[in-house]
Amino acid sequence: MDQIIVRGNGPLKGEIPIAGAKNACLTLMPATLLTDQPLTLTNAPRLSDIRTMTELLQSLGAEVASLQEGQVLALSSHDLNNHTADYDIVRKMRASILVLGPMLARDGHAIVSLPGGCAIGARPVDLHLRALEAMGADLDLREGYVHAKAPAGGLKGAVIDFPIVSVGATENALMAATLARGTTVIKNAAREPEIVDLAQCLRRMGAHIEGEGTSTITVEGVKTLGGATHPVVTDRIELGTYMLAPAICGGEVECLGGRIDLVAAFCEKLDEAGIDVTETDRGLKVARKNGRVRAVDVVTEPFPGFPTDLQAQMMALLCTAEGTSVLEEKIFENRFMHAPELIRMGARIEVQGGHATVHGISKLRGAPVMATDLRASVSLILAGLAAEGETVVSRVYHLDRGYEKVVRKLRGVGADIERIKGASSDE
Ligand SMILES: CC(=O)N[C@H]1[C@@H](OP(=O)(O)OP(=O)(O)OC[C@H]2O[C@@H](n3ccc(=O)[nH]c3=O)[C@H](O)[C@@H]2O)O[C@H](CO)[C@@H](O)[C@@H]1O
Ligand SMILES: C=C(OP(=O)(O)O)C(=O)O
C-alpha cells in the first residue's frame, strides 16, 4: 500500500489549480440515466470515486468515456440492459445510491444495493427512500437490496418535506422529479453548490426547475430529457483544503478557480483565526496575517454553514493556534478519527461525543500516522507540512477518493512531500 511522506519545511509560495468537485460530479454522472441522449461533463476531477461511478454506470449498460486525461466525461445511456446496482460496487461508495432515482424515473424499476454505513457514521438512506415513496414508488427491502417500482404511468409529482437536510436525498428526489408527472416541491432541501450545479445541468437537459440554492425547490416534470454539455463546479472542499496549507505553514498561495461564495463560512473562520483571503481575477489568494494563528470555535452545518468535509483540515490548523478551540461536529456521529492521529503528532485534543477541544501548542512533531477516511487523510498531510521532522501517512487510498495529484500540487508550492511504494499513475 502506498504511503505519503511529508517533511515540514517552512512557508509555501505559488499557485494551486483547483479541480472540479467530486461531490458534484458524483451526482451529475448518474443524471445520464435520465436520458438516452449524450451528456458531456467538462472539468471533471480525476479520482478513484469517479472511476467507481464509471464502473457502476457501465455495469448498468451506460457508456462512459474518459477524454482529455479524464477531464471530460462523455456519458450515454441509450439502452440500459441491467437495472441492478450490485453490492460489490455500491459498497465502495455511498454516492452509488444516486442511481436509484434516475433509473426509477426513466424506466420505472430499479434494484439497488443498500450502501451500508461507513467510517464516519451510520449514514442511513431512509430519506432517499421516503422521497421516492412520496412520488408513488413501491419499495421493498430484500437481502440488502432496495427493489423499487414506479406506479403505472411513472412517478408522480409530490410534496417532499425532509425532516433534516440531506444532500444525497435532495439530489435523488430532484433527479427523479424531473421526469415525474406533475409538480414536485422539495422542502427543507439542501442548498449546497453541488445541488445548484446539478439543477443547472438538469435544466440544460430540458428539466423545469426553480429554487435551487434555497430550501424549497420546485420541479415541473417533463416527458423526456435531452443531452447537454456541462462544466462541473469547482471543488469547494479541495479549495478549502489547499487554502489551509499557507495558513498552517505560512507563505502565500493562490488557489486558481477559487470563489468566496463557495467557502464563505469557512473564510469567516479563517479571518477570525488571523488568515487573509483575497479575491483575485484568477481565484483566492491566502496568506497568514502577522503573528500566530488564533484559536476559533467551529460548528459544522449544512451549507451555507461550515462544511463537515473541512472539519478535519481545520482541526489540523487549530492544533498550533494560540488558545483553545472547540469544534462541534453536527453532521456525522463519528468524524473525529483524525484526532488520535494528530495526538500522535503531539497535538493536545480531547474528544467528547460531538465536541473536540483543541489546546493549541507551538509545534507539531512528525510521526507515523494512519488515514482513516478521506478528509482525515488530508488533515494529516496538512499537519505534517507544519510539523518538525517526518510524517508518514499510511492508507492513502482514502485520499485518492477525493484529491487528484496531491503530491504534485503541494510540491508546486514548495512542500517537501513524496509518495512511496507503487506510486499511482496520476502523480
Ligand atoms: C457524495 C457526496 O456528495 N457526499 C457528501 C454528502 O453526503 P450525503 O449526501 O451522504 O450526506 P447527507 O447530507 O445525506 O447527510 C447528512 C446527515 O443526514 C443523515 N441522513 C442522510 C440521508 C438519509 O436518508 N438519512 C439520514 O439520516 C446522515 O446520516 C447525516 O447525518 O453530504 C455530506 C454533508 O455535507 C458530505 O459530508 C459528503 O461529502
Ligand atoms: C464524506 C465524503 O464523501 P462521501 O459522501 O462520498 O463518503 C467527503 O467527500 O468528505
Side-chain angles (χ1 to χ4, degrees), residues 23 123-128 164 166-168 308-309 331-332 335:
N23 288 348
R123 306 185 74 179
V125 291
D126 55 314
L127 302 176
H128 299 239
I164 58 169
S166 161
V167 174
T308 172
D309 293 351
I331 309 294
F332 294 111
R335 214 176 191 183

Side-chain angles (χ1 to χ4, degrees), residues 87-301:
Y87 176 65
D88 275 346
I89 307 179
V90 173
R91 70 184 166 80
K92 292 186 194 166
M93 189 183 67
R94 293 188 46 86
S96 306
I97 193 74
L98 296 173
V99 300
L100 178 59
M103 267 202 290
L104 190 57
R106 177 170 149 201
D107 290 341
H109 61 108
I111 302 176
V112 178
S113 169
L114 286 168
C118 76
I120 62 175
R123 306 185 74 179
V125 291
D126 55 314
L127 302 176
H128 299 239
L129 305 186
R130 265 197 255 163
L132 297 171
E133 273 177 335
M135 299 169 88
D138 180 36
L139 304 182
D140 190 17
L141 298 186
R142 273 183 275 143
E143 290 153 359
Y145 282 77
V146 184
H147 294 247
K149 274 207 177 86
L155 293 175
K156 298 174 297 196
V159 175
I160 297 163
D161 195 352
F162 285 120
I164 58 169
V165 175
S166 161
V167 174
T170 302
E171 291 166 345
N172 239 334
L174 175 58
M175 285 192 278
T178 58
L179 292 180
R181 287 170 289 148
T183 307
T184 299
V185 182
I186 305 172
K187 296 186 177 173
N188 203 18
R191 290 179 279 167
E192 270 66 3
E194 294 75 26
I195 304 276
V196 174
D197 202 40
L198 173 64
Q200 282 169 352
C201 177
L202 292 170
R203 201 177 287 120
R204 286 193 161 111
M205 294 165 70
H208 295 173
I209 300 168
E210 277 176 18
E212 75 273 14
T214 74
S215 298
T216 305
I217 303 178
T218 307
V219 186
E220 207 61 62
V222 294
K223 282 211 158 53
T224 55
L225 292 177
T229 297
H230 178 82
V232 180
V233 68
T234 299
D235 194 318
R236 63 196 166 95
I237 307 303
E238 194 199 20
L239 171 64
T241 301
Y242 288 124
M243 287 171 75
L244 282 168
I248 290 181
C249 299
E252 185 181 87
V253 169
E254 190 171 12
C255 294
L256 306 180
R259 282 171 17 209
I260 291 274
D261 63 303
L262 295 173
V263 282
F266 171 70
C267 286
E268 273 175 34
K269 288 295 162 186
L270 288 188
D271 184 52
E272 252 183 75
I275 312 299
D276 252 338
V277 179
T278 320
E279 242 175 329
T280 69
D281 53 1
R282 302 197 311 154
L284 298 179
K285 205 175 260 186
V286 185
R288 210 192 276 172
K289 293 176 197 168
N290 292 333
R292 202 169 146 194
V293 170
R294 292 187 293 273
V296 293
D297 294 339
V298 172
V299 181
T300 65
E301 277 167 321

Side-chain angles (χ1 to χ4, degrees), residues 1-8 242 345 366-371 373-374 376-385 389-411 415-424 426-427:
M1 259 188 287
D2 292 6
Q3 291 179 319
I4 285 184
I5 301 186
V6 195
R7 295 172 202 94
Y242 288 124
M345 299 176 70
V369 288
M370 200 158 61
D373 66 73
L374 166 57
S377 54
V378 84
S379 78
L380 299 174
I381 291 178
L382 288 174
L385 289 174
E390 189 173 275
T391 298
V392 181
V393 185
S394 54
R395 300 205 175 161
V396 294
Y397 54 86
H398 290 293
L399 190 76
D400 297 333
R401 287 190 49 216
Y403 292 92
E404 62 170 47
K405 300 186 170 78
V406 63
V407 167
R408 197 186 294 178
K409 287 185 183 189
L410 286 170
R411 272 194 186 166
D416 183 353
I417 177 169
E418 64 182 310
R419 184 165 179 144
I420 55 161
K421 279 202 272 176
S424 84
D426 61 355
E427 288 293 354

